[in-house]
Amino acid sequence: MSPMTIGLVMFAGMLALMVLRIPIAAAMFIPGALGYLAMSNEVALFNMLKGSAVARLTLYDLSVIPLFLLMGQFATQGGLSRALFRAAAAFVGHVRGGLAMAAVLSAGAFGAVCGSSVATSATITQVAYPEMRRYGYQGRLSTAALASGGTLGILIPPSVPLVVYAILTEQSVGKLFAAAMLPGVLAMLGYLVVIALYCMVRPELAPPHAPVPWAARWKALFGVWPILSIFLVVFGGIYGGIFSPTEGAAVGATLTLFAGLASRELNLKAICNSFIASAETSAMVFLIFLGADMMNASLSLTQLPAQLADWVTHLGIAPLWIVVSVLVFYVILGCVMDEMSMLLLTIPVIFPAIMGLDLWGLAPEMKAIWFGILVLMTVGIGLIAPPVGLNVYVVNNLAGDTSMGETYKGVFPFLAWDVLRVIVLLLFPTLTLGLVDLFFQ
Amino acid sequence: MRLLLRKITWLFAVLGGLVALAVGVMTVASVSLRFFTTQPIQGDVEMVQMGVAVAISLCIAWCQLRGANIIVDFFTQNASARTTRWLDGLGCVLIAVMYGLLAWRTTIGAFAVHEVNETTMTLELPMWWAYASLAPGLMLAALVALVQAWLHFTGQDLQTLQGERQGEFA
Amino acid sequence: QEVTLKVHHIWPNTAIVPSKVLNPWCDKIALESKNRIKCQLMPAMSGGGTAAQLVDRVKDGVDDMVLTLPGYTPGRFPSTEVFELPFMSYNAESTSRAIWDYTQKYGMKEFVGTKLLAIWTHDEGYIHNAKHPIKTLADLKGLKLRAPTRQTTKLLTLMGASAIGMPITGVADAISKGTLDGAVVPWETLPSFRITENVKYHTETPQSRPGLYTAVLMWGMNQAKYDSLPADLKAIIDRNSGAALSAQLGRTYDESQAPARKVAEERKNEVYVLPEAETDNWIKASAPIYDSWVADVEKKGLPGKAMVQEARELVQKYSKK
Ligand code: NA
Ligand code: NA
């Protein structure tokens, strides 16, 4: 068999295993290992495997993932999310759709200390959903706002998929976080507008209620200072050059632990729960990495990625349309596949091709960052788009009283804004790159 | 037996969390020292690298036990319970192969770097520590996956191993 | 018989080793063998693993050829490290010739299973910083400098600076944010990692004295792969490796100095050459590093003193010409 054929067979084998419910890590690892055997021999494969676990697990930049996950878990178990939602609800709860807006706002704020969208959705759903139901909000709006708001967990830094992208493309995590800032806030503001418009068209979705007195508002606002100051210290430190993203994650996790201990919500049991919850997610992410490493080592032997990159750059299609097709491809793939695995599998293949294109005359680093944010946005879409939106699953599961179909109906206006936002970011790279220029001269 | 396996796996994961937290606290100390005295803790980066690697390896078995590995279930939503059971059993076997291969080869790797006296850059810690420390977690994960496969194939309930469904999501 | 060599290395294709030496070398080999030897290039670690694992990968036959730094695996190549001691090298070409000869005598045990095609050093590394001009030893006190090797870490610490280890890619940002005051690197590294525009002062040692530091680099081939080649292909590899290839690599680094220095001068950065008398003070101050290195390798049963002596003599011999 030619290397090209081996590469394609490997890829097909992987897809087949995925369809058959095999864990994605193994679905990449096993065909990858067999492909490596076919390309070389068992001595090379076994010797290569001697170092692969150490190589992946000791990678310094990846240590931000467990640390940021730990920080998010301490914030969850430490009750910081409740204070956030209370404060947001105190200020905007009384306008039409206000509690849904409060859910989005608190998801955005929580996303500023939590790097995972599933964790953000779950956390905010637990504090916000009962309140929304109490005030007679319909399940369709409530669950849709929570599922969409949950994507702010990754759209606003810190963000696990963005770290994964940074590692795969050898870009600076700090710069990518800076680039995500404005688009993330834009996403949040857009969701608020979507809720307002939605409630204008369908007022029965969200009955209004009396405003909270100002004294109570200030009191509720006071409750968010821990999370606010943690965010400021972590990101102030990262962009002020006091520490690296990994160090920032360590500082954040430690501070959040102390904040949780101080609020007396974080007892020994809650700390253990934080540990094992972060354990599940961290291990899951690293396992997919290990699977993808095996797959990519074999693919690089077959030289398939290099050939694809070469082919794409000589297609003669306008570069911007190639980016658009890649993004559309991601949205479609994201419909049936987990987004993280999608990145790990495709970025090593697609990224070199993108870097070969001339896009708005951007310098290579800026191009990589800009493309990364666009990819992140499509990951966000994949998390709420039917038929398989992970966030929708999580929120629906926790809500327990709304059908999946209802939620997907409710999600559509939010999706429309997501698509619109991708187009805007595609046409105006400054929105993404402005803050990078500002923070990194 | 299953309860014991579950307890050990839980202990590994909590230990992993503790190591990660310790690494975090050490980093905070190092950053503060660098900020106030210009001299950080020597070898802080190496400690983070080794610590996080061990921490993750200790968490893998728990991730496996809880069924937290991502699968694509879109195409098998309408499959019979029997089919699903067999496919999930196969999945456990395949991922056990992955864990087992990595555990075995990483152990061999430990011997290899030990033989040539490789050390880390700053603290000059023996490099084989990093390799050897990953093996226990990977081996436990392989064991858990094999037990799960056996439960799947014999049609037994996984709940006794996995524990009750939690309200929290990671 | 046709052979494809998997060549795995640490640099992107635009760096000087691949662009000026390795890639043309592959073309030359292909031409001389009438395309019976081809390189499959895996730049920038694209074949997986860590840079430190390359030496094992080539020994074990995972990769057929690797280009890397022995210093990534401390403790593993004790004998070649002698050239990374401070104030050893006058220029890269002569030191590369010296280290090739030296390794034939002292280093071959460390490269078992690997056929060494070349071993070389880069041009003299200097101190580049953003804070203040460094004209005496005292000026180093309290400066936060990125140290590239184990021995420079010891040297900087001994001289009162803080030696900080971090990947070279983060240095420019760290300097611009003040986390770092500067870096100890050869000239060529400055423009490619945008360090030139973030520093102001460059301190060189004079040509009449050995430079502050250098690092050792290696190009190895899997021994079994080499042994499996037919005689005529072996001859082609032999013809294109060894002392001459090492010297060529060193020369390539030497030639990279002037253009990179010019970038700094055009930016009106201040380039200061230490006077000979002051340099001698620095050399004297670095003596304890030699002593501890000799003690270290003697513990491993190597003739440390003789190795330093021989390395110095070889450098002298090739520097005179
Ligand atoms: Na986030
Ligand atoms: Na999806």
Side-chain angles (χ1 to χ4, degrees):
Chain A
M1 272 197 286
S2 75
M4 186 82 164
T5 323
I6 294 176
L8 292 174
V9 169
M10 247 162 44
F11 216 78
M14 177 199 75
L15 290 178
L17 289 178
M18 282 184 186
V19 166
L20 295 176
R21 296 172 64 91
I22 307 303
I24 286 181
M28 294 195 275
F29 188 91
I30 303 288
L34 293 175
Y36 204 93
L37 266 182
M39 288 298 300
S40 52
N41 53 53
E42 73 280 356
V43 177
L45 172 69
F46 285 158
N47 282 324
M48 196 264 310
L49 286 174
K50 282 200 304 202
S52 50
V54 168
R56 179 49 68 196
L57 267 53
T58 58
L59 196 68
Y60 184 69
D61 280 351
L62 265 183
S63 359
V64 301
I65 291 181
L67 292 171
F68 270 138
L69 286 172
L70 210 50
M71 167 166 150
Q73 276 304 320
F74 286 148
T76 303
Q77 309 271 348
L80 295 185
S81 50
R82 197 167 303 118
L84 278 180
F85 179 70
R86 271 194 202 134
F91 279 87
V92 299
H94 58 281
V95 304
R96 204 172 265 284
L99 287 179
M101 294 179 185
V104 166
L105 282 170
S106 46
F110 193 75
V113 294
C114 176
S116 136
S117 90
V118 173
T120 305
S121 309
T123 307
I124 301 299
T125 302
Q126 281 162 354
V127 294
Y129 192 71
E131 288 291 293
M132 289 201 256
R133 293 304 269 172
R134 196 151 68 85
Y135 284 96
Y137 277 53
Q138 301 287 298
R140 178 191 294 192
L141 174 68
S142 316
T143 51
L146 284 164
S148 315
T151 62
L152 296 173
I154 57 162
L155 298 185
I156 290 176
S159 165
V160 173
L162 214 49
V163 175
V164 171
Y165 178 86
I167 304 279
L168 292 174
T169 60
E170 298 183 322
Q171 299 300 315
S172 137
V173 174
K175 286 183 188 175
L176 277 158
F177 280 1
M181 213 70 107
L182 202 58
V185 171
L186 212 61
M188 182 171 77
L189 296 178
Y191 289 155
L192 298 180
V193 174
V194 167
I195 294 171
L197 291 175
Y198 206 178
C199 293
M200 233 153 71
V201 183
R202 304 281 306 273
E204 74 280 9
L205 288 175
H209 63 86
V212 177
W214 278 97
R217 289 188 194 186
W218 295 127
K219 195 163 165 248
L221 192 62
F222 184 72
V224 304
W225 77 263
I227 209 160
L228 194 71
S229 35
I230 291 169
F231 174 75
L232 286 179
V233 169
V234 171
F235 285 92
I238 293 176
Y239 298 128
I242 299 169
F243 37 72
S244 70
T246 302
E247 290 163 347
V251 171
T254 312
L255 289 180
T256 318
L257 173 68
F258 286 140
L261 290 174
S263 73
R264 304 197 175 184
E265 296 230 17
L266 214 51
N267 53 24
L268 193 61
K269 184 158 178 273
I271 292 178
C272 282
N273 283 340
S274 309
F275 283 162
I276 60 171
S278 329
E280 270 184 37
T281 317
S282 315
M284 180 269 281
V285 172
F286 277 82
L287 281 172
I288 300 177
F289 255 113
L290 286 170
D293 283 346
M294 185 69 249
M295 191 49 133
N296 288 326
S298 311
L299 281 179
S300 92
L301 282 189
T302 66
Q303 294 189 303
L304 213 57
Q307 279 166 354
L308 184 77
D310 194 56
W311 178 70
V312 168
T313 30
H314 292 97
L315 263 181
I317 300 176
L320 210 54
W321 284 112
I322 294 178
V323 175
V324 171
S325 348
V326 167
L327 296 179
V328 170
F329 169 70
Y330 273 170
V331 171
I332 294 169
L333 204 59
C335 284
V336 293
M337 198 174 162
D338 157 64
E339 279 71 25
M340 189 85 72
S341 334
M342 177 178 93
L343 289 189
L344 279 158
L345 200 63
T346 59
I347 289 294
V349 183
I350 285 174
F351 183 74
I354 297 293
M355 290 309 278
L357 303 173
D358 175 34
L359 294 157
W360 304 117
L362 292 172
E365 189 188 23
M366 291 296 152
K367 192 160 47 179
I369 292 174
W370 171 71
F371 181 64
I373 300 302
L374 289 175
V375 169
L376 180 69
M377 294 290 156
T378 62
V379 169
I381 291 178
L383 286 169
I384 56 171
V388 186
L390 196 54
N391 275 15
V392 173
Y393 271 135
V394 172
V395 172
N396 255 76
N397 203 342
L398 286 173
D401 59 359
T402 305
S403 80
M404 206 74 109
E406 271 294 294
T407 306
Y408 278 130
K409 269 186 212 155
V411 153
F412 266 106
F414 294 92
L415 267 180
W417 164 235
D418 283 348
V419 173
L420 185 66
R421 200 171 63 246
V422 172
I423 296 172
V424 170
L425 294 176
L426 198 63
L427 296 178
F428 302 100
T430 330
L431 288 173
T432 309
L433 301 174
L435 280 185
V436 183
D437 285 334
L438 186 70
F439 287 139
F440 301 88
Q441 98 253 152
Chain B
M1 252 344 258
R2 288 175 209 177
L3 193 66
L4 182 68
L5 187 58
R6 182 180 147 73
K7 283 259 157 71
I8 293 174
T9 308
W10 184 87
L11 214 64
F12 265 53
V14 170
L15 194 63
L18 263 177
V19 173
L21 183 63
V23 160
V25 172
M26 185 278 300
T27 304
V28 174
S30 181
V31 169
S32 319
L33 278 174
R34 191 178 62 206
F35 189 72
F36 293 112
T37 72
T38 79
Q39 187 61 60
I41 294 178
Q42 279 296 303
D44 53 349
V45 171
E46 285 168 11
M47 286 190 269
V48 170
Q49 288 177 305
M50 279 210 182
V52 167
V54 179
I56 298 292
S57 75
L58 291 172
C59 295
I60 293 175
W62 181 254
C63 169
Q64 178 62 36
L65 183 126
R66 298 287 300 171
N69 278 316
I70 292 181
I71 62 164
V72 176
D73 58 2
F74 177 68
F75 300 97
T76 44
Q77 277 165 347
N78 298 320
S80 70
R82 215 177 109 86
T83 313
T84 314
R85 203 165 248 292
W86 277 94
L87 289 177
D88 287 347
L90 178 67
C92 289
V93 171
L94 289 183
I95 206 157
V97 170
M98 173 177 167
Y99 297 146
L101 259 179
L102 288 173
W104 168 46
R105 294 318 299 173
T106 305
T107 310
I108 302 290
F111 284 109
V113 295
H114 174 66
E115 209 173 311
V116 293
N117 305 316
E118 221 177 289
T119 67
T120 62
M121 200 67 84
T122 316
L123 297 176
E124 305 192 2
L125 301 171
M127 199 59 202
W128 70 268
W129 290 4
Y131 283 75
S133 63
L134 302 187
L138 285 163
M139 281 183 222
L140 182 65
L143 178 67
V144 169
L146 286 177
V147 171
Q148 283 174 327
W150 172 68
L151 293 176
H152 277 303
F153 289 142
T154 54
Q156 297 183 61
D157 191 6
L158 260 75
Q159 219 53 220
T160 46
L161 181 65
Q162 189 177 338
E164 75 283 12
R165 196 93 199 98
Q166 276 184 326
E168 295 98 8
F169 286 78
Chain C
Q1 191 188 348
E2 279 193 19
V3 192
T4 302
L5 298 173
K6 288 174 275 181
V7 185
H8 201 185
H9 64 83
I10 54 176
W11 299 281
N13 263 324
T14 47
I16 60 170
V17 172
S19 68
K20 299 234 163 87
V21 185
L22 172 64
N23 300 357
W25 183 92
C26 284
D27 294 341
K28 185 157 180 266
I29 296 289
L31 191 72
E32 289 183 20
S33 68
K34 303 201 173 60
N35 278 326
R36 285 167 62 214
I37 309 182
K38 280 189 215 127
C39 294
Q40 180 181 341
L41 293 164
M42 296 186 277
M45 297 304 305
S46 54
T50 64
Q53 290 170 345
L54 283 177
V55 289
D56 264 329
R57 290 173 63 114
V58 75
K59 186 182 106 192
D60 294 338
V62 179
D63 302 319
D64 299 321
M65 272 188 194
V66 300
L67 293 86
T68 183
L69 280 76
Y72 286 152
T73 49
R76 186 164 181 161
F77 300 101
S79 69
T80 54
E81 202 185 21
V82 72
F83 289 89
E84 298 193 351
L85 288 169
F87 302 107
M88 276 301 286
S89 160
Y90 289 90
N91 59 59
E93 185 177 353
S94 60
T95 311
S96 300
R97 287 185 189 279
I99 193 172
W100 176 264
D101 287 2
Y102 168 96
T103 308
Q104 304 306 308
K105 177 162 178 189
Y106 290 107
M108 290 329 273
K109 282 190 300 293
E110 292 161 20
F111 294 98
V112 170
T114 306
K115 180 171 172 60
L116 208 52
L117 298 191
I119 183 159
W120 72 102
T121 63
H122 63 61
D123 51 302
E124 316 88 87
Y126 298 123
I127 306 173
H128 314 271
N129 94 98
K131 213 145 180 202
H132 54 75
I134 297 169
K135 301 191 166 172
T136 64
L137 263 181
D139 294 331
L140 279 170
K141 281 242 155 30
L143 276 189
K144 289 174 280 183
L145 298 172
R146 178 201 180 250
T149 61
R150 213 151 63 114
Q151 297 304 329
T152 45
T153 303
K154 291 181 180 167
L155 178 69
L156 290 176
T157 314
L158 185 73
M159 292 178 163
S162 300
I164 292 180
M166 67 158 69
I168 187 73
T169 44
V171 167
D173 279 336
I175 295 175
S176 77
K177 297 276 168 60
T179 319
L180 209 60
D181 297 320
V184 177
V185 281
W187 274 109
E188 181 260 337
T189 312
L190 298 186
S192 26
F193 292 98
R194 298 187 307 106
I195 300 173
T196 322
E197 53 254 54
N198 287 296
V199 295
K200 268 214 145 60
Y201 310 100
H202 309 267
T203 301
E204 290 186 344
T205 44
Q207 281 304 308
S208 61
R209 298 288 182 274
L212 185 68
Y213 93 101
T214 187
V216 178
L217 298 98
M218 64 173 277
W219 179 341
M221 178 174 183
N222 176 264
Q223 185 70 48
K225 187 79 180 182
Y226 173 81
D227 292 340
S228 75
L229 296 178
D232 60 328
L233 294 188
K234 264 190 199 141
I236 292 176
I237 300 277
D238 291 345
R239 215 166 42 234
N240 289 287
S241 62
L245 182 60
S246 304
Q248 185 201 347
L249 282 154
R251 191 162 59 246
T252 310
Y253 274 96
D254 285 334
E255 285 163 358
S256 71
Q257 249 180 4
R261 199 177 196 273
K262 212 175 124 209
V263 178
E265 281 163 350
E266 277 165 2
R267 289 191 55 89
K268 304 269 184 292
N269 285 1
E270 188 182 302
V271 181
Y272 179 77
V273 181
L274 282 182
E276 291 176 354
E278 178 62 18
T279 312
D280 291 339
N281 285 339
W282 291 40
I283 295 176
K284 220 176 284 160
S286 70
I289 310 240
Y290 279 78
D291 299 340
S292 79
W293 185 84
V294 168
D296 253 11
V297 298
E298 281 180 350
K299 249 186 272 160
K300 292 177 180 162
L302 296 169
K305 273 217 176 79
M307 289 157 82
V308 172
Q309 185 62 25
E310 179 126 15
R312 278 202 170 126
E313 281 167 14
L314 283 165
V315 169
Q316 287 294 343
K317 173 180 154 197
Y318 285 113
S319 300
K320 279 197 194 113
K321 281 218 193 110

